[in-house]
Amino acid sequence: CATTILQEEVKDDYRGRAFAFYDMTGNIANAAGAAVFAAFMPDSGRSPAIIGAIAACFAVAAVAYWLSA
């Protein structure tokens, strides 16, 4: 959806820069997330508690999305 909005709303002169910024912010979020979780993961790379916390966050987000719709 966001890519479609960018294509429709951004003028041709600025579209490339807008896509570059959009892509960069997505990559920064992915790298930051990996760095944060690498700091909390045990050396074995296996953590049921972290998987449970992520699942709970997804469940809360799903309920919030459902209630907003």
Side-chain angles (χ1 to χ4, degrees):
C1 295
T3 303
T4 302
I5 292 170
L6 281 174
Q7 289 176 350
E8 291 177 351
E9 301 294 328
V10 176
K11 293 181 181 180
D12 290 339
D13 296 341
Y14 304 105
R15 190 172 296 148
R17 284 177 270 194
F19 274 109
F21 180 75
Y22 178 72
D23 189 45
M24 182 184 67
T25 56
N27 289 338
I28 288 171
N30 286 336
V36 167
F37 277 102
F40 291 104
M41 281 296 255
D43 291 337
S44 67
R46 187 167 192 268
S47 176
I50 290 178
I51 298 298
I54 292 170
C57 289
F58 271 111
V60 168
V63 170
Y65 181 75
W66 179 65
L67 290 174
S68 70

